[in-house]
């Protein structure tokens, strides 16, 4: 069992000896050169590292990057103009040189993320996003923002400009911003963007802190539990107690249009309805009759000279008194002739 393990270890050591780690370098914020040799895996031994820029002397690393007690990289200072020169590196293990390489670092400059990122409403009612950059000259910026946690929307900001504006933002929406930077084409045109800055947000309660959480009261969960228990008990009582259900939820009667009594259609007592439909006025009957005249010849009236005809109407009476003519033999021909006589009407 031990023999295969020993053989495997020997083979791995040979592979590592045949394939030394590759060294990769970049300039960070135009101030330091960072070189690492663990991209293909952690090295099995500690290497020594030396480097120099063109026309400079070789120097050993004084600031190693260490992981699990194994050297994996090195940091060294540099100047802004050094990025335009070739950079030489040598990786050794003991007295053996394992890697020797020349690096062109002009396009491998990585800036630090912008700092002091803020967002606020300006005097023009627009939303302004500001940031600071350690090297404001020859720097391109890219801003990304999102509204209400929707996908990010990115936009380019012109060189040397350290602000971005959103016109007339909605106070009912939440805006979140981030920014990153890189060297412009006129100053080297780096291919590497910086990391995104810390996010800032504005909206809802106009807060710019993305980690703000509303404080939860201790009584909030208690009120939720009590409310749920009360609702369950109320439902049980309504299902079990018929009388309580009728009191809390009274049944509204449905009127029947086929009811023979109109009093059933209205929510009033029958006595009140009957009193309301009684007539409250009196009207006297008024009989109507036609006048009938009797011929003098047909009557056996003695020497009485007056004929009276009376008609009753409502609360008035009409009395008609006629005088007999001297010639009693002349009959009454018409009402007009009699009116020419001495006709007297008394009311």
């Amino acid at each position: 069992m031990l023999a295969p393990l020993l053989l495997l270890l020997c083979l791995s050591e040979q592979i590592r000896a045949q394939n030394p780690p590759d060294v990769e370098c970049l300039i960070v914020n135009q101030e330091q050169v960072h070189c690492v040799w663990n991209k293909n895996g952690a090295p099995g031994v500690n290497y020594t590292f030396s480097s120099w820029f063109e026309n400079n002397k070789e120097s050993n690393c004084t600031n190693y990057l260490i992981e699990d007690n194994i050297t994996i990289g090195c940091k060294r200072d540099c100047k802004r103009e050094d990025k335009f020169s070739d950079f030489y590196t040598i990786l050794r293990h003991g007295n053996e040189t394992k890697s020797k390489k020349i690096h062109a670092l002009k396009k491998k400059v990585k800036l630090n993320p912008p700092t002091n990122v803020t967002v606020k409403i300006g005097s023009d009612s627009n939303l302004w996003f500001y940031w600071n950059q350690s090297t404001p000259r020859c720097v391109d910026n890219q801003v990304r923002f999102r509204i209400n946690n929707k996908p990010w929307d990115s936009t380019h900001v012109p060189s040397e400009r350290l602000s971005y504006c959103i016109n007339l933002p909605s106070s009912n929406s939440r805006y979140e911003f981030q920014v990153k930077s890189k060297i412009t084409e006129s100053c080297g045109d780096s291919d590497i963007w910086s990391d995104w800055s810390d996010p800032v947000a504005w909206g809802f309660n106009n807060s710019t802190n993305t980690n703000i959480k509303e404080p939860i009261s201790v009584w909030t969960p208690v009120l939720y539990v009590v409310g749920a228990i009360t609702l369950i008990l109320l439902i049980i009582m309504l299902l079990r107690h018929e009388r309580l259900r009728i009191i809390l939820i009274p049944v509204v009667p449905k009127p029947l249009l086929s009811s023979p009594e109109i009093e059933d259609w209205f929510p009033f007592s029958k006595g009140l309805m009957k009193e309301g439909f009684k007539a409250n006025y009196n009207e006297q009957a008024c009989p109507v009759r036609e006048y009938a005249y009797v011929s003098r010849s047909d009557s056996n009236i003695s020497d009485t000279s007056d004929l009276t005809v009376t008609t009753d109407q409502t609360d008035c009476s009409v009395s008609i008194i006629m005088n007999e003519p001297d010639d009693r033999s002349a009959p009454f021909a018409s009402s007009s002739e009699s009116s020419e006589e001495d006709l007297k009407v008394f009311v």
Side-chain angles (χ1 to χ4, degrees), residues 140-290:
D140 277 340
N141 297 291
Q142 185 174 359
V143 172
R144 71 175 184 178
F145 66 93
R146 60 181 177 181
I147 303 175
N148 297 332
N149 293 325
K150 293 181 179 178
W152 291 97
D153 186 8
S154 300
T155 182
H156 178 262
V157 178
S159 177
E160 300 183 7
R161 181 175 176 182
L162 303 178
S163 64
Y164 179 75
C165 175
I166 292 182
N167 295 324
L168 302 176
S170 172
S171 59
N172 297 324
S173 299
R174 180 181 176 85
Y175 296 82
E176 190 174 357
F177 296 88
Q178 284 183 301
V179 60
K180 65 180 180 179
S181 307
K182 76 167 187 173
I183 299 297
T184 61
E185 183 177 0
S186 59
C187 296
D189 190 21
S190 176
D191 295 333
I192 303 175
W193 283 92
S194 71
D195 297 330
W196 287 106
S197 66
D198 295 332
V200 293
W202 181 93
F204 298 139
N205 58 354
N206 293 342
S207 172
T208 58
N209 190 348
T210 58
N211 297 321
I212 288 179
K213 295 182 180 179
E214 293 294 333
I216 299 176
S217 175
V218 178
W219 295 103
T220 300
V222 176
L223 293 177
Y224 286 154
V225 173
V226 172
I229 294 175
T230 303
L231 181 60
I232 294 173
L233 292 177
L234 182 59
I235 294 174
I236 294 174
M237 293 173 65
L238 290 176
L239 294 177
R240 293 295 185 91
H241 301 280
E242 183 77 17
R243 184 180 182 85
L244 181 61
R245 185 168 70 243
I246 294 175
I247 293 174
L248 295 178
I249 310 176
V251 179
V252 179
K254 183 178 180 181
L256 298 175
L257 298 180
S258 62
S259 175
E261 297 184 5
I262 193 172
E263 293 90 343
D264 297 338
W265 296 2
F266 302 96
F268 306 108
S269 62
K270 292 186 177 181
L272 182 61
M273 289 293 299
K274 291 180 179 180
E275 291 296 331
F277 280 98
K278 283 185 178 181
N280 57 359
Y281 61 90
N282 296 323
E283 183 178 357
Q284 186 177 356
C286 180
V288 179
R289 294 177 297 181
E290 294 183 358

Side-chain angles (χ1 to χ4, degrees), residues 285-322:
C286 180
V288 179
R289 294 177 297 181
E290 294 183 358
Y291 294 110
Y293 298 97
V294 180
S295 177
R296 179 66 66 178
S297 61
D298 296 337
S299 61
N300 295 325
I301 304 175
S302 61
D303 294 338
T304 60
S305 60
D306 296 331
L307 177 64
T308 301
V309 180
T310 303
T311 302
D312 294 332
Q313 294 181 356
T314 64
D315 57 351
C316 62
S317 61
V318 179
S319 299
I320 302 176
I321 303 175
M322 298 181 182

Side-chain angles (χ1 to χ4, degrees), residues 57-77:
K57 294 181 179 181
E58 179 181 357
S59 61
N60 294 326
C61 178
T62 59
N63 189 5
Y64 280 101
L65 300 175
I66 299 175
E67 185 178 276
D68 297 331
N69 296 323
I70 300 295
T71 56
I72 61 170
C74 177
K75 294 190 298 183
R76 57 161 294 171
D77 296 335

